[in-house]
Amino acid sequence: MENKFDILVIGAGPGGYIAAIRAAQLGKKVACVDMWTDDAGKPKPGGTCTNVGCIPSKALLQSSEHFEQANHHFAEHGISVSDVKMDVTKMISRKETVVKQNNEGILFLFKKNKVSFFSGKASFAEKSDAGFKVKVEGKDAAEITAEIVIVATGSDPRPLPNLPFDEKSILSNTGALDIPEVPKKLGIIGAGVIGLELGSVWRRLGADVTILEAAPAFLTAADEAIAKEAKKAFDKQGLKIEVGVKITEAKNDGKSVKIAYDTAGGEKQELTVDKLIVSIGRIPFTSGLNLEAVGVKLDDRGFIEVDENCRTSVQNIWAIGDVVRGPMLAHKAEEEGVAVAERIAGMHAHVDFGTIPSVIYTSPEIAWVGKTEKQLKEEGRKVKSGQFPFMANGRARAMGDITGFAKIIADAETDEVLGGHIIGPMASELISELVTIMEFKGAAEDIARICHAHPTLSEAIKEAALAVDKRTLNL
């Protein structure tokens, strides 16, 4: 078979596999190369998200939430259980099954859409008259020629200086998903999405969890009211979170990890833990791509330089997802993948970073889109806002999950929704209504005038919209 293609996508994560499928739908001859494999060498497309990120973490969160409910909340419903135990090995096995199902789903989608898949590591060889020559090393070793290349190679976890990941005691997100037994003491560096979600998993299962955060305040990316409510909830659950921390030393003796740090007040502290999860951000993955062979430029932080349309410095090479600027989110990569495939086909496409939602899948869930009240006021925007608590929502009461609230921020004059912030049950699902209204430049009044089914959690969004105009009906 001649390995010549219209488009080659390097990387089969959320951005890459979606770009490949959309390009194929648009009539292009497409190939996709991905290097993820299991221990037996079987391909595992889906990237970090599917293999060691979004999907497996949600599987563990679900299992640990069931355990938490059985231990602490079933009695409220009249359900009596005793001697509840967690089989960590089985929990991890279920997580792996969920991951495998997603891997196989992507391979099926490639076959369905006639995308040629190559399992191996890709690197640029040279630019030729026919396009670009790319070498694939691995199970499906080959030399591929493509007129257009889309780079979607994702990112790697950032380690602490002088403390490399061994995935036994010093864990990245990868090792944190495969801890074989519940640690007595677990330390986490970084109170972001990964730190809070994985901290929640192991706290629910019985670990004593301490999270150390360098930022001077908790959840600085979220609205201040949301962050305050979240901290209160996590404190109540037993997650120990310290902010304004400066790590001065960390030692791993193979049995335990000792972390020396200065508190926000300047006090010197030491923490000894069985395992340490380091979640201090991620770095773009370009290792081994041989970008210099074709002249693709990187910026000073190691990201592939792209313009607003994801074009690199080399004509007919595009880049998307974590390897380029913008939020490191799977759904951002997906949107860029679709947009680039459509731009290549001559269509008009856009990705609005201002309406990309952020979600933290803790309990309570946290989700937001647009700007915070603080950001808008710093910009000099005149705004009005409304909040509605889940404790006044009938469905939330019936569920027994009344923590948190929904908040909507609108322009004081035009009523256009500029930000939506939710902490509470199913916030990850509820945020979509606010994303949609913002995409259509809708007003808080629009939400307030739309009929929402009763009883539903979504009524909290409607009531928050009514609160913007100071006319809530159920509070």
Side-chain angles (χ1 to χ4, degrees), residues 48 155-160 165 171-173 188-195 212-214 277-284 301 303 322 328:
T48 293
S155 60
D156 270 341
R158 184 189 301 276
L160 275 174
F165 296 115
L171 311 172
S172 69
N173 57 290
I188 300 175
I189 310 295
V193 176
I194 295 171
L212 304 177
E213 169 59 50
I277 299 172
V278 178
S279 56
I280 56 173
R282 299 181 65 83
I283 52 179
R301 296 188 299 152
F303 291 91
D322 283 7
M328 287 183 162

Side-chain angles (χ1 to χ4, degrees), residues 358-369:
S358 295
V359 181
I360 304 175
Y361 295 84
T362 47
S363 181
E365 289 189 349
I366 304 166
W368 67 89
V369 63

Side-chain angles (χ1 to χ4, degrees), residues 1 74 119 248 324:
M1 183 180 73
F74 274 10
S119 178
T248 56
V324 302

